[in-house]
Amino acid sequence: MTEQPISRFPPPELADLPQDIRERIAAVQEKSGFVPNVFLALARRPDEFRAFFAYHDALMEKPGTLSKAEREMIVVATSGVNQCQYCVVAHGAILRIRAKNPLIADQVAINHRKADLEPRQKAMLDFAVKVAERSHAIDDADYEELKSHGFSDDDAWDIAAIAAMFAMSNRLANAFSIRPNDEFYLMGRESRS
């Protein structure tokens, strides 16, 4: 395997970054065993890095009705629609781990309607994909459909906000050619001995 650049723009040197960003990157590296390329790529702009990850954490790490696996499903489904290789690969790995299912991320990324999901999760992803593709067409019927599957108004907000936030993330990752770390491809998959 050849060494490829992680992004269109060279990442900054870790030693040159503000301490809070160095600490955040070190914490992620300690937890995962590597530094996801998106952290290095976005660290070029410290204020934007902080804002991006603050909103990410507010949506993805908060308590609520949506499980962490369901939040990752939203990211993977909408990132597939937006053709974002980085987010499909990286968040697909996280989804496989959180769902404890080595097949689910590939299914959701390609076509969530044919994935092995509950009807409730398919309705959630139908709404998320509509936000990603045609947010201007969201109407009361979309919210009623979510309610019929047991989703609250707060859940609907979370689904829409995650889809919208990752639409921005997908566009940045695509525009900056952020490459998924090789480590992501094998995470959460069954090993073959």
Side-chain angles (χ1 to χ4, degrees), residues 32 34 90 92-94 96-97 102 182-190:
S32 65
F34 64 97
I94 298 167
R96 288 190 297 274
I97 291 166
D182 292 346
E183 292 89 343
F184 283 126
Y185 288 93
L186 298 178
M187 290 171 59
R189 298 194 189 270
E190 294 178 342

Side-chain angles (χ1 to χ4, degrees), residues 90-102:
H91 288 275
I94 298 167
L95 173 56
R96 288 190 297 274
I97 291 166
R98 290 198 167 155
K100 297 176 176 61
N101 180 338

Side-chain angles (χ1 to χ4, degrees), residues 67-166:
S67 71
K68 287 187 176 186
E70 288 172 331
R71 291 170 195 274
E72 294 296 338
M73 282 179 200
I74 295 166
V75 176
V76 172
T78 58
S79 296
V81 165
N82 292 324
Q83 299 182 44
C84 180
Q85 182 185 47
Y86 185 90
C87 290
V88 167
V89 172
H91 288 275
I94 298 167
L95 173 56
R96 288 190 297 274
I97 291 166
R98 290 198 167 155
K100 297 176 176 61
N101 180 338
L103 307 178
I104 197 66
D106 296 331
Q107 294 176 356
V108 169
I110 299 302
N111 183 349
H112 73 273
R113 290 173 193 90
K114 296 190 182 292
D116 297 328
L117 299 173
E118 303 165 9
R120 176 184 176 277
Q121 293 169 328
K122 287 182 182 180
M124 173 188 77
L125 296 180
D126 284 342
F127 182 75
V129 166
K130 189 170 182 179
V131 170
E133 291 181 319
R134 303 178 327 279
S135 61
H136 63 279
I138 297 287
D139 59 24
D140 290 342
D142 296 299
Y143 289 98
E144 289 304 317
E145 179 65 17
L146 285 177
K147 284 183 182 177
S148 77
H149 288 277
F151 291 104
S152 68
D153 286 343
D154 282 340
D155 295 332
W157 181 292
D158 287 343
I159 296 164
I162 292 166
M165 191 267 189
F166 277 91

